[in-house]
């Protein structure tokens, strides 16, 4: 137990260091974005003196190192800063801007995960058990086709089928805080289906490969020779040892649901963090862009940390590789 806790704390410390390094990359990348917020707000007719005064008010005239240290110091205290889109006499924090959008993205990710994870695991196990059958070939061909298509193409095909031709689902997912849960579910279904089709293929193929590899293991062959049923072999001998790679691929795809929704949210006009980040880049709202990017990075890093912890807890042999 102490060894497991030591590994967990070690990887947690590594995750914190990784986030710090990623924050440097985020700040540098945002600083190098073309355009200027002050000029975009004041317009082309603004005088250089007016632009310079506005930049001083926003703190954009200070050296980048000084601005980064101030930003990362506030982030360490749980403060992502204030949005540049605030007006005279009032200010909106980045957390206040991102909060509702993050809730929408998490809702979309949760609906997608509920659809994708059980379906991918079931199809992956079934494809492994009936390897080289017509079912296995069909599942593999379908998953490869899904991976090959870009997300926007899948989104528009689903929109054409279910929204235009069948008229079963709305083409736009324009939800709001006052949208009832049943209506929110209906409007979120098409983007959730788009994301599910993309991540099911990855999880399915990894699950299938892990199960096939373990089915050829000596201890599985011994269990079969002893007359253990196939169901018991899968549940008691194969799945516990397959959890490590499966959990990692699930965590990777769940992280993708948070950080990779930009295209899907843009296609369906879904008010999530991805769409907010695109809008903020267009308006050069630097603090919001930095906040969104940092949330994406932290989500990805800590979901992978959670996957490592679950893999170690379910299969402690990972701590003692050969």
């Amino acid at each position: 137990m102490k060894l497991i806790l030591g590994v967990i704390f070690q990887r947690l410390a590594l995750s914190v260091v990784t986030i710090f390094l990623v924050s440097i990359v985020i700040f540098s990348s945002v600083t190098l974005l073309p355009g200027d917020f002050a000029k975009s707000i004041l317009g082309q007719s603004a005088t250089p003196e007016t632009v310079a005064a506005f930049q001083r008010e926003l703190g954009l005239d200070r050296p980048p190192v000084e601005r980064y240290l101030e930003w990362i110091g506030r982030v360490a205290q749980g403060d992502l800063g204030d949005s540049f889109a605030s007006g005279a006499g009032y200010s909106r924090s980045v957390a206040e801007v991102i909060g509702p959008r993050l809730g929408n993205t998490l809702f979309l990710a949760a609906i997608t995960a509920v659809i994708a994870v059980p379906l991918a695991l079931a199809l992956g196990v079934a494809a492994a058990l009936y390897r080289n059958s017509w079912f296995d070939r069909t599942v593999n061909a379908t998953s490869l086709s899904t991976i090959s298509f870009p997300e926007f193409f899948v989104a528009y095909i689903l929109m054409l089928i279910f929204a235009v031709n069948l008229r079963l689902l709305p083409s736009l997912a324009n939800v709001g805080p006052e949208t009832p849960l049943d209506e929110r579910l209906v409007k979120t279904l098409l983007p959730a289906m788009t994301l599910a089709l993309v991540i099911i293929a990855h999880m399915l193929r990894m699950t299938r490969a892990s199960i096939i590899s373990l089915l050829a293991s000596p201890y599985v062959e011994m269990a079969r020779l002893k007359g253990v049923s196939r169901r018991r072999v899968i549940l008691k001998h194969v799945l516990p040892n397959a959890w490590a790679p499966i959990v990692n691929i699930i965590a990777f795809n769940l992280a993708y649901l948070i950080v990779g929704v930009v295209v899907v949210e843009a296609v369906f006009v879904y008010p999530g963090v991805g769409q907010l980040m695109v809008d903020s880049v267009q308006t050069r709202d630097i603090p919001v862009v930095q906040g969104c990017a940092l949330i994406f990075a932290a989500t990805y890093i800590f979901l992978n940390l959670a996957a490592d912890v679950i893999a170690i807890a379910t299969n402690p042999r990972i701590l003692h590789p050969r």
Side-chain angles (χ1 to χ4, degrees), residues 150-153 155 256 260-269 274-275 278:
E151 296 167 356
F152 69 88
F153 180 79
Y256 166 79
V261 296
V262 177
V263 173
V264 174
E265 288 185 356
V267 170
F268 292 101
V269 197
Q275 182 67 42
V278 172

Side-chain angles (χ1 to χ4, degrees), residues 53-74:
F54 195 29
Q55 288 177 332
R56 283 195 301 272
E57 182 181 350
L58 297 175
L60 296 177
D61 61 325
R62 293 180 296 166
V65 174
E66 182 180 338
R67 288 191 284 121
Y68 170 76
L69 292 175
E70 179 185 356
W71 175 64
I72 200 64
R74 296 180 68 174

Side-chain angles (χ1 to χ4, degrees), residues 91-240:
S91 63
R92 296 181 66 195
S93 66
V94 173
E96 182 183 351
V97 174
I98 294 178
R101 298 296 193 98
L102 181 60
N104 290 337
T105 296
L106 292 176
F107 182 82
L108 174 59
I111 298 300
T112 306
V114 168
I115 297 172
V117 174
L119 187 58
L121 294 180
L123 290 175
V125 172
L129 292 178
Y130 300 99
R131 185 183 181 186
N132 296 327
S133 66
W134 65 268
F135 176 79
D136 182 32
R137 293 191 182 95
T138 302
V139 167
N140 273 296
T142 305
S143 62
L144 283 173
S145 300
T146 305
I147 294 174
S148 302
F149 293 137
E151 296 167 356
F152 69 88
F153 180 79
V154 176
Y156 284 125
I157 290 297
L158 291 179
M159 192 183 297
L160 177 65
I161 295 172
F162 292 99
V164 178
N165 293 337
L166 300 180
R167 299 183 181 274
L168 295 176
L169 297 170
S171 59
L172 300 181
N174 51 342
V175 299
E178 70 287 345
T179 305
L181 180 59
D182 55 347
E183 184 180 346
R184 181 184 291 265
L185 286 171
V186 172
K187 289 186 174 181
T188 310
L189 197 53
L190 265 184
M193 289 169 60
T194 303
L195 291 170
L197 285 175
V198 175
I199 68 171
I200 281 176
H202 293 93
M203 289 190 289
L204 183 156
R205 295 180 65 82
M206 178 59 72
T207 302
R208 177 184 179 276
S210 301
I211 298 296
I212 288 175
S213 175
L214 289 169
L215 284 174
S217 301
Y219 66 88
V220 173
E221 293 293 336
M222 182 61 68
R224 285 175 171 173
L225 290 174
K226 288 181 178 180
V228 179
S229 65
R230 173 181 284 192
R231 181 174 178 273
R232 186 174 178 83
V233 167
I234 295 296
L235 295 179
K236 297 294 184 181
H237 299 283
V238 175
L239 281 181

